[in-house]
Amino acid sequence: MNQYFASLKFPKASCSLRQAGRVAFLAMMGLLFSSPALAHHPFGGETPDSVFEAFVSGLGHPVIGLDHLAFVIAAGLLAAVMGRGLVIPVAFVIASLAGTGIHLMSLDLPAPELFISASVLVFGILLAMKSQPNRATVAGLAAIAGVFHGYAYGEAIVGAEMGPLVAYLVGFAVIQMAIALMAYWVGRAVSQQAAEPSGIGLRFAGFVICGVGGTFLSTLIVDTMLPA
């Protein structure tokens, strides 16, 4: 009799594992192909001279930066599990534009890399939680994170002319929204097809993103305490 009931539950568990695998794939996509050697700059840190180069640089910066990419994916997945959640990535993208402006005005933000790594960890934790805080709170956190992520983006465009500068801003705004919307779409699809209401697939992706954020944060702390 016990074996009979166990056999009835197995397909549901199998379905949950498949859903978890799909979202884990999304959380990992592109992350493994990020190149630390580029230091987040598609042109090796050189300021783009043309509109085309600046646009490509804007498209590339949030993708080749593993910490930035992980956060954008987390924001999109969180949007999928919260009512009218698209305000989360929208708040992040708008704030990232403001953060770049802060950098271009030569204003300093404290420990931007530390805040960026911490934001990835926090959003991974939020995604892994069984219940999330209200949408306004998460959107506010996304906006704060966006300022620091955008501040880091600004390093690649300091000293550029107005044309390349605008192209760069458009590039990283477009790619971030595209990635977030893709994550949102996949997250919604997984949530609707899940055999169980626990959202195990999205929560598993949260644990993956926690690992990315925790790795970056611990590395920064160790490097600060034990400088080379």
Side-chain angles (χ1 to χ4, degrees):
M1 182 64 71
N2 291 336
Q3 293 178 346
Y4 173 74
F5 283 110
S7 65
L8 290 179
K9 295 180 180 178
F10 180 77
K12 183 180 288 189
S14 177
C15 182
S16 296
L17 289 174
R18 287 197 299 271
Q19 300 295 345
R22 290 174 186 174
V23 183
F25 174 77
L26 172 68
M28 296 295 289
M29 74 172 187
L31 304 186
L32 297 178
F33 299 99
S34 299
S35 176
L38 292 175
H40 297 189
H41 299 290
F43 293 97
E46 295 183 4
T47 302
D49 294 326
S50 68
V51 169
F52 175 75
E53 286 183 353
F55 182 71
V56 171
S57 181
L59 291 177
H61 197 151
V63 176
I64 65 175
L66 176 57
D67 44 1
H68 302 305
L69 180 59
F71 185 92
V72 176
I73 292 174
L77 292 177
L78 267 173
V81 299
M82 306 186 78
R84 299 180 181 177
L86 282 176
V87 68
I88 296 169
V90 169
F92 171 75
V93 171
I94 293 175
S96 68
L97 293 170
T100 299
I102 290 173
H103 197 135
L104 295 177
M105 290 187 292
S106 299
L107 300 176
D108 293 328
L109 289 181
E113 293 299 330
L114 187 66
F115 276 93
I116 290 170
S117 299
S119 71
V120 177
L121 178 60
V122 168
F123 265 57
I125 292 172
L126 290 175
L127 187 58
M129 290 169 57
K130 196 166 186 178
S131 59
Q132 289 80 29
N134 65 69
R135 184 177 64 251
T137 299
V138 178
L141 291 173
I144 294 171
V147 171
F148 285 92
H149 284 259
Y151 184 86
Y153 296 154
E155 181 65 28
I157 201 66
V158 171
E161 299 294 331
M162 182 58 67
L165 173 59
V166 173
Y168 181 77
L169 295 175
V170 171
F172 80 65
V174 167
I175 194 63
Q176 287 182 125
M177 278 307 303
I179 294 171
L181 287 173
M182 184 184 301
Y184 173 82
W185 178 78
V186 173
R188 291 282 292 178
V190 169
S191 297
Q192 292 170 1
Q193 296 174 10
E196 298 179 3
S198 61
I200 184 64
L202 297 179
R203 292 176 64 198
F204 184 79
F207 290 124
V208 173
I209 293 169
C210 278
V212 174
T215 299
F216 272 93
L217 188 58
S218 60
T219 300
L220 283 172
I221 292 173
V222 170
D223 288 345
T224 300
M225 297 177 62
L226 301 173

